[in-house]
Amino acid sequence: MRDAFFTCRKNVLLAKSTSTQVEGIFAATRGRSVPEEQEALLQQWLEEGAGNLPASESAPAVGRVSATLTSDWLEGSELLMTSLSDLNSAPEVTWCAGQQLTELHPLASSEPQDHAVAELAKLPAEETVAVVGSAPWAAVMPQMDHQIVGCATVDVEGQNEDPAVLAWSLGRDAEIVPVEPPAWTIQDMEQFQPLPTEVPYHEILWRDWEDLSVQPYVLEQVSRNVPLFEFRVMSYNILAQDLVEQGLDLYLHCHPDILNWNYRLPNLLQEIQHWDPDVLCLQEVQENHYWEQLEPTFRMMGFACFYKRRTGRKTDGCAVCYKHSKFQLINVSPIEYFQPGLDILNRDNVGLVLLLQPLLPEGLDLKMVSPLCVANTHVLYNPRRGDVKLAQMALLLAEIDKIAKTTEGSYCPVILCGDLNSVPDSPLYKFIRNGQLSYHGMPAWKVSGQEDFSQQLHPRKLLAPLWPSSLGVTDNCQYASLCLSKKSDRRKYSRDFLLQFHFCDVACERPPQLILLEGVTDAKPDRPAHWPKHAAVVNDPDPQPFFPRSSGVIQHGLNLTSVYSHFLPQRGRPEVTTMPMGLGATVDYIFYSAEPVENGNRAGRRLYQDGALKLLGRLSLLSEDVLLMANGLPNPFCSSDHLCLLASFGLEISSLREELK
């Protein structure tokens, strides 16, 4: 509930602040037709605003509407007991004609707060906001075109405001120059533009916390007093700044200011600090930003961090951070998917696998709780190269198999995070979740399900084996050197070594036990003249272990299922984690170890139930239509083109459980 209050309070001002982009849309709509739905919504809001006008004032003109908002901030449980619709209707809104600025006048609460806010009208437009107890970064306002002195005032009675609220209030004195932002042109779709109003981000981007600990099977375990080690895991593609600047065509819907790293960084850090994960898996982390800004800040927040940059000329990579107050590092293994000489592994993507030991309170033995394996990766994007995606995932699963396997041959709990660039129920997704995939003859574009290339005349098809045996990875996604039986003497010899025995002397000798048949086996054959002379047999310097390869089937035994269901039943729409070119898709995931249900296979989909690692809660995702209302991603509130994923887990403390029985 505290999380909901934070999100709402932060974004009331973000939604009501003056935006050059929104005002530009107002100006652009004058003189051209407005889509029917937007026009009706605009008319409705104008009528509601006109109802609050004194009788002497006239209705405001379209394109020059702004609002002066006066309201009492609801604190604590009073806000939490108020629905969003009630919260929106609570403030007194006065519509003013002929005014280009939006003023926010929060009233002081009846009880004094810790400190009074200094007079903001005297502060410069770009200011570092420091609050006692806050993080050591600053919320930086985008530079405005002009500053107007004395055109509006800010009530200084507001106390103890959120840093983001204070920072955004500094920019309300800017002159607005109507500029029509570029729009995304997508076939069979309307132009991707923000609504011609000030967008209420606190409503549109509201994300609920789903408490899954109230489910019957979890309550049954709680009733048995099963002790749990609880922790939170976040997976977040934070959008590397170099990739923004290299692909500006993907962000034409965004105002340039919100794409600036100095604007995005405080938003990203504040979001991470607010949700307070214990394990943080990040993708698209730019190397210089990591070492100069992110890693020092995370260290001050109590994280221990590991980073792996992509190979080649790429400047971003993956990072895994964990709270050293909750975990202790056992092992870390970076993975490079690029393998010289292999066409199927010729891309520069990377991954990280960590083995962590949960830390229990003093007096409890660490052996009471199992280690936790955490993996993070960013798989190749190219929708046409599903073969590469599968090979990269097989290499990652082989590394997890090596790190997570115990001495008894079982696996410790695994959490796999990342941007997999594959949609739900695609073959790659099914491979991870169901543990098996028959790929032989499958079109490569079909593996990820990102795009439909069925009209392509000669698509690339997957053939068995998918990768060569020289990679050292079996079709069970295990390293061959680790999965062979100790008694196995079988070896795979090179072709050159075996060719030595074609014309050797032993091959020309008559075996003594051979039955004598006149004219058939009664004489030793003469060596043909064209046969090469006998050469000494040379031992194979490096015989490869022999392991069988199946015909077009790969599998793994990690038993992974997804934290998210990928569907929003209350809205009847699929979940979305990103919006490339205005089209919503789910490509980001958190998978975790579970136990397969016996005889639980429904339409080829394996069913799971929680085992030692239990899913206790998750942060809800949004649908495509909701993000379209907020002008897609990124936007002034969400500073990445992906949404963060957050889940709460509980790990059984096994020894205590046995003592309680």
Side-chain angles (χ1 to χ4, degrees):
M1 300 298 287
R2 174 176 60 84
D3 297 340
F5 171 64
F6 170 89
T7 305
C8 178
R9 184 172 181 184
K10 172 185 174 183
N11 295 297
V12 167
L13 186 55
L14 290 179
K16 301 299 180 182
S17 296
T18 302
S19 167
T20 57
Q21 184 176 12
V22 172
E23 294 290 345
I25 295 302
F26 268 96
T29 56
R30 290 177 288 180
R32 67 177 174 88
S33 60
V34 181
E36 293 180 6
E37 294 181 3
Q38 296 185 3
E39 186 175 7
L41 184 58
L42 175 60
Q43 186 62 32
Q44 177 185 348
W45 287 353
L46 291 178
E47 290 173 0
E48 292 175 359
N52 293 328
L53 283 173
S56 59
E57 294 188 18
S58 59
V62 177
R64 299 181 61 82
V65 178
S66 59
T68 301
L69 176 65
T70 304
S71 65
D72 290 322
W73 288 106
L74 299 176
E75 298 290 346
S77 60
E78 295 180 9
L79 174 67
L80 302 177
M81 296 299 292
T82 306
S83 66
L84 285 177
S85 58
D86 295 336
L87 183 62
N88 281 344
S89 59
E92 177 186 354
V93 179
T94 304
W95 296 88
C96 306
Q99 181 177 339
Q100 292 282 359
L101 299 173
T102 301
E103 302 168 0
L104 180 65
H105 297 275
L107 297 178
S109 58
S110 57
E111 298 182 7
Q113 305 289 332
D114 297 334
H115 302 284
V117 178
E119 184 174 351
L120 301 180
K122 298 181 180 180
L123 294 177
E126 181 170 332
E127 185 76 14
T128 298
V129 181
V131 180
V132 176
S134 65
W137 54 80
V140 182
M141 277 296 301
Q143 194 71 294
M144 299 298 182
D145 297 329
H146 304 284
Q147 297 293 331
I148 301 177
V149 180
C151 64
T153 59
V154 175
D155 195 335
V156 297
E157 297 180 2
Q159 299 176 2
N160 272 357
E161 289 293 11
D162 187 88
V165 174
L166 292 176
W168 275 94
S169 64
L170 299 178
R172 89 270 175 262
D173 291 337
E175 178 183 355
I176 304 305
V177 180
V179 177
E180 182 176 0
W184 284 348
T185 303
I186 302 176
Q187 187 177 1
D188 299 328
M189 288 186 63
E190 296 179 358
Q191 284 192 339
F192 190 51
Q193 296 278 18
L195 293 176
T197 62
E198 302 224 353
V199 181
Y201 287 101
H202 66 287
E203 276 198 13
I204 294 177
L205 301 176
W206 186 279
R207 299 178 65 182
D208 296 317
W209 179 258
E210 301 176 10
D211 185 3
L212 304 180
S213 63
V214 297
Q215 294 184 359
Y217 69 91
V218 179
L219 291 176
E220 180 183 354
Q221 293 169 337
V222 173
S223 65
R224 299 201 313 263
N225 295 321
V226 177
L228 297 176
F229 174 83
E230 297 186 13
F231 59 97
R232 280 186 174 186
V233 176
M234 174 182 281
S235 180
Y236 203 175
N237 182 325
I238 63 173
L239 181 57
Q241 191 64 24
D242 281 349
L243 299 181
V244 173
E245 295 170 2
Q246 293 168 15
L248 289 175
D249 290 346
L250 299 175
Y251 309 106
L252 296 177
H253 64 291
C254 300
H255 191 281
D257 287 342
I258 70 171
L259 296 177
N260 189 290
W261 177 246
N262 290 331
Y263 174 87
R264 295 174 54 228
L265 176 62
N267 270 5
L268 294 169
L269 291 174
Q270 188 178 34
E271 186 175 9
I272 293 171
Q273 186 189 37
H274 164 63
W275 293 119
D276 192 27
D278 300 302
V279 178
L280 178 62
C281 296
L282 301 177
Q283 304 89 41
E284 289 194 20
V285 182
Q286 192 165 308
E287 185 178 36
N288 63 321
H289 290 161
Y290 172 80
W291 293 113
E292 296 171 6
Q293 297 169 311
L294 294 173
E295 194 274 341
T297 303
F298 289 153
R299 199 175 342 110
M300 296 179 66
M301 293 167 62
F303 285 102
C305 303
F306 291 88
Y307 177 78
K308 176 59 181 175
R309 174 180 165 173
R310 284 206 280 171
T311 52
R313 298 182 179 180
K314 309 298 183 181
T315 60
D316 66 288
C318 295
V320 176
C321 312
Y322 63 90
K323 290 281 185 69
H324 50 65
S325 60
K326 303 263 307 197
F327 295 96
Q328 176 180 306
L329 180 67
I330 299 177
N331 193 6
V332 57
S333 179
I335 308 169
E336 295 182 358
Y337 297 139
F338 178 80
Q339 301 290 323
L342 292 183
D343 179 64
I344 199 170
L345 286 170
N346 61 356
R347 303 306 171 96
D348 296 315
N349 304 85
V350 296
L352 272 170
V353 181
L354 275 68
L355 188 62
L356 304 175
Q357 176 63 55
L359 297 179
L360 299 177
E362 292 185 8
L364 297 180
D365 190 355
L366 294 181
K367 295 181 180 179
M368 292 181 176
V369 61
S370 168
L372 177 71
C373 180
V374 178
N376 181 31
T377 189
H378 190 178
V379 172
L380 175 70
Y381 167 77
N382 191 339
R384 300 174 183 266
R385 293 305 304 268
D387 53 338
V388 176
K389 296 173 191 275
L390 278 178
Q392 290 181 350
M393 185 53 57
L395 205 55
L396 176 66
L397 294 174
E399 194 68 30
I400 295 175
D401 177 90
K402 182 183 76 172
I403 298 294
K405 183 170 285 188
T406 64
T407 54
E408 293 81 14
S410 59
Y411 295 100
C412 66
V414 174
I415 294 179
L416 169 58
C417 303
D419 180 350
L420 304 185
N421 278 312
S422 302
V423 301
D425 288 329
S426 64
L428 178 60
Y429 175 91
K430 291 179 179 178
F431 168 57
I432 297 173
R433 194 185 182 282
N434 296 339
Q436 181 172 313
L437 176 66
S438 178
Y439 64 85
H440 185 71
M442 180 183 297
W445 62 264
K446 202 171 185 178
V447 170
S448 65
Q450 294 165 279
E451 298 182 30
D452 186 354
F453 295 102
S454 57
Q455 303 303 319
Q456 190 175 358
L457 293 178
H458 303 287
R460 180 191 299 265
K461 292 188 177 182
L462 307 186
L463 302 177
L466 189 58
W467 56 82
S469 299
S470 60
L471 184 62
V473 176
T474 71
D475 288 330
N476 292 329
C477 297
Q478 297 174 312
Y479 287 121
S481 57
L482 301 178
C483 67
L484 290 175
S485 172
K486 294 182 179 179
K487 297 181 180 180
S488 176
D489 294 327
R490 301 183 67 184
R491 294 290 185 270
K492 180 183 177 182
Y493 294 95
S494 66
R495 181 174 182 272
D496 292 338
F497 174 73
L498 295 176
L499 283 176
Q500 297 179 98
F501 301 99
H502 273 195
F503 311 116
C504 65
D505 291 338
V506 174
C508 297
E509 290 289 341
R510 179 181 181 277
Q513 68 275 18
L514 188 64
I515 298 176
L516 178 61
L517 296 175
E518 290 190 20
V520 178
T521 63
D522 58 346
K524 178 179 178 181
D526 295 329
R527 177 184 295 271
H530 63 276
W531 281 19
K533 292 183 179 180
H534 171 68
V537 176
V538 178
N539 293 329
D540 197 343
D542 186 23
Q544 298 295 321
F546 175 83
F547 54 91
R549 300 296 301 274
S550 64
S551 57
V553 178
I554 54 175
Q555 52 191 0
H556 69 85
L558 297 178
N559 294 327
L560 301 173
T561 188
S562 175
V563 163
Y564 289 90
S565 63
H566 316 304
F567 188 77
L568 300 170
Q570 68 275 20
R571 297 188 61 86
R573 295 177 179 271
E575 295 173 335
V576 165
T577 66
T578 186
M579 283 198 67
M581 298 299 292
L583 300 175
T586 292
V587 297
D588 304 277
Y589 301 93
I590 300 178
F591 290 96
Y592 70 102
S593 296
E595 294 180 355
V597 177
E598 188 175 356
N599 299 323
N601 195 315
R602 184 183 304 167
R605 183 180 179 88
R606 185 182 295 180
L607 300 181
Y608 290 95
Q609 62 183 7
D610 282 356
L613 182 63
K614 307 182 189 311
L615 178 62
L616 304 180
R618 63 192 175 200
L619 182 63
S620 66
L621 290 170
L622 302 174
S623 59
E624 181 185 71
D625 61 318
V626 168
L627 289 175
L628 283 171
M629 293 174 63
N631 202 33
L633 294 171
N635 56 51
F637 175 59
C638 299
S639 288
S640 174
D641 56 351
H642 292 247
L643 296 176
C644 71
L645 278 61
L646 183 72
S648 176
F649 294 97
L651 192 56
E652 286 187 2
I653 304 178
S654 56
S655 297
L656 289 182
R657 178 188 60 188
E658 295 173 359
E659 294 174 3
L660 291 171
K661 287 184 179 180

